[in-house]
C-alpha cells in the first residue's frame, strides 16, 4: 500500500473516531444534562407558547439512569414556581410541562380561582391567564380529581400533597384520593363493603412510599393538570425548563411574508429565559 493510501486510511479512521466520540458525548449530555423539548399545546400560555422549543435542565433535579429507578445526585429539589417537564403519570410515553405549585406535605386549596398554599395566597405567575368563565363553589366537575368530589377548576380542595412517609387514612371518602397513588406504587388496591383492601388485606391506613407534587398550567382554564389527573410522583420529573432556543407559530405558513421574513418564526422569543 502506498504512503498516500495509508495517510488517507489514517485520516478516515480519525474522522470516524471523532464522530463516535462526538456521538457519545451528545448522548451523555442528552441523557444526563440537557435535552430539547417542544411545547405542543397552549396550556402554559402566555408564559410559553405552542411551537416554543426549550432546553430542559435534567441535571438540576438529579437525572435518571436509563432503564433503572436510579437517580444521580441533584443540585436541589423541585421548588414552588419551577416550570418542570415530567412523564405524564397516566401515559409515561408522553412528556408534559407545567408549573409546580405545591410540594410534598403542602396543603393546597383554590377558592374563586385564588390558589392558597398552606393557608397563604399564592401569587399568580406574571403571564398566567384565565380564558373561560369562573365556576362557582359547590358545582362539581366530574372530570376533576378525585372522582366523586365537589371540586372544580376554580374551587378545589383543600387537599394535602402526599409526602414520603406520610400515613394516610383509608376509607370510602379517601379511597378516590389515594387509589391511583397506591396502585402506582405497586399494589393491588380495591374497595369492598366500605373497606379498602391492599394486596388482598383490609387496611385502615397506608404509608406513602414517594414524594409527590401538584402541577398546574399557567393557562388555568386550558390545562390538563393535577386538578384533573392527580398528584405527580417525584420519580416522573424529568427536569426544569431552562430557555427558549427557537420558536415558530404552528398556525402560520412557513412561506415568507411580503417583506421577505419567514412569518411563522417568532424571532423575539429566541434566547428567552423561562421563569
Amino acid at each position: 500500500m502506498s504512503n498516500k493510501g495509508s495517510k488517507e486510511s489514517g485520516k478516515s479512521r480519525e474522522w470516524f473516531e471523532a464522530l463516535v466520540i462526538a456521538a457519545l458525548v451528545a448522548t451523555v449530555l442528552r441523557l444526563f444534562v440537557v435535552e430539547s423539548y417542544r411545547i405542543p399545546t397552549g396550556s402554559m400560555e402566555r408564559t410559553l407558547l405552542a411551537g416554543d422549543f426549550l432546553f430542559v435542565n435534567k441535571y438540576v433535579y438529579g437525572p435518571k439512569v436509563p432503564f433503572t429507578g436510579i437517580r444521580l445526585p441533584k443540585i436541589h429539589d423541585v421548588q414552588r414556581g419551577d416550570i418542570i417537564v415530567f412523564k405524564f403519570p397516566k401515559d409515561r410515553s408522553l412528556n408534559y410541562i407545567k408549573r409546580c405549585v405545591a410540594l410534598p406535605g403542602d396543603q393546597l386549596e383554590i377558592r374563586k380561582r385564588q390558589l392558597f398554599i398552606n393557608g397563604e395566597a399564592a401569587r399568580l405567575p406574571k403571564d398566567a391567564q384565565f380564558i373561560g368563565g369562573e365556576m362557582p363553589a359547590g358545582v362539581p366537575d366530574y372530570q376533576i380529581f378525585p372522582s366523586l368530589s365537589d371540586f372544580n377548576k376554580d374551587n378545589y380542595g383543600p387537599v394535602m400533597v402526599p409526602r414520603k412517609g406520610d400515613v394516610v387514612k383509608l376509607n370510602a371518602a379517601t379511597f378516590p384520593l389515594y387509589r391511583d397513588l397506591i396502585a402506582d406504587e405497586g399494589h393491588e388496591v380495591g374497595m369492598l363493603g366500605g373497606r379498602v383492601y391492599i394486596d388482598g388485606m383490609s387496611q385502615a391506613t397506608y404509608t406513602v412510599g414517594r414524594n409527590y407534587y401538584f402541577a398546574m398550567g399557567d393557562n388555568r382554564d386550558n390545562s390538563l393538570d393535577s386538578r384533573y389527573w392527580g398528584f405527580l410522583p417525584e420519580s416522573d420529573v424529568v427536569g426544569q425548563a431552562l430557555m427558549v432556543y427557537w420558536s415558530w407559530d404552528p398556525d402560520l405558513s412557513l412561506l415568507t411574508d411580503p417583506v421577505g421574513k419567514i412569518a411563522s418564526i417568532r424571532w423575539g422569543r429566541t434566547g428567552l429565559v423561562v421563569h
Side-chain angles (χ1 to χ4, degrees), residues 108-125:
L108 176 142
E109 186 176 8
I110 301 171
R111 300 197 298 267
K112 296 182 178 179
R113 291 183 165 174
Q114 173 63 60
L115 174 66
F116 293 85
I117 303 297
N118 300 324
E120 296 186 5
R123 182 181 300 177
L124 191 69

Side-chain angles (χ1 to χ4, degrees), residues 38-112:
R38 179 180 67 85
I39 302 296
T41 70
S43 70
M44 286 295 293
E45 289 183 351
R46 295 164 304 205
T47 306
L48 295 169
L49 307 180
D52 281 351
F53 288 76
L54 310 175
F55 285 132
V56 176
N57 184 340
K58 302 177 76 172
Y59 183 71
V60 65
Y61 301 139
K64 291 182 71 173
V65 178
F67 312 112
T68 75
I70 300 172
R71 279 190 180 271
L72 299 181
K74 57 191 171 184
I75 302 300
H76 60 72
D77 293 322
V78 177
Q79 299 174 8
R80 293 190 203 97
D82 286 356
I83 296 177
I84 55 177
V85 173
F86 54 90
K87 299 294 182 183
F88 180 40
K90 302 302 181 185
D91 181 356
R92 291 185 169 96
S93 67
L94 302 175
N95 283 336
Y96 271 30
I97 183 166
K98 307 290 179 190
R99 189 182 296 275
C100 174
V101 298
L103 303 177
D106 281 347
Q107 184 190 67
L108 176 142
E109 186 176 8
I110 301 171
R111 300 197 298 267
K112 296 182 178 179

Side-chain angles (χ1 to χ4, degrees), residues 177-222:
L177 187 64
Y178 299 118
R179 174 187 54 211
D180 292 345
L181 180 155
I182 296 170
D184 200 48
E185 291 191 355
H187 302 283
E188 292 185 4
V189 57
M191 190 171 66
L192 181 65
R195 298 188 64 84
V196 177
Y197 288 80
I198 300 177
D199 300 328
M201 300 291 292
S202 176
Q203 302 288 351
T205 62
Y206 177 75
T207 301
V208 177
R210 302 172 182 166
N211 284 322
Y212 292 82
Y213 300 97
F214 202 95
M216 293 174 63
D218 284 1
N219 192 355
R220 293 290 169 82
D221 292 325
N222 186 31

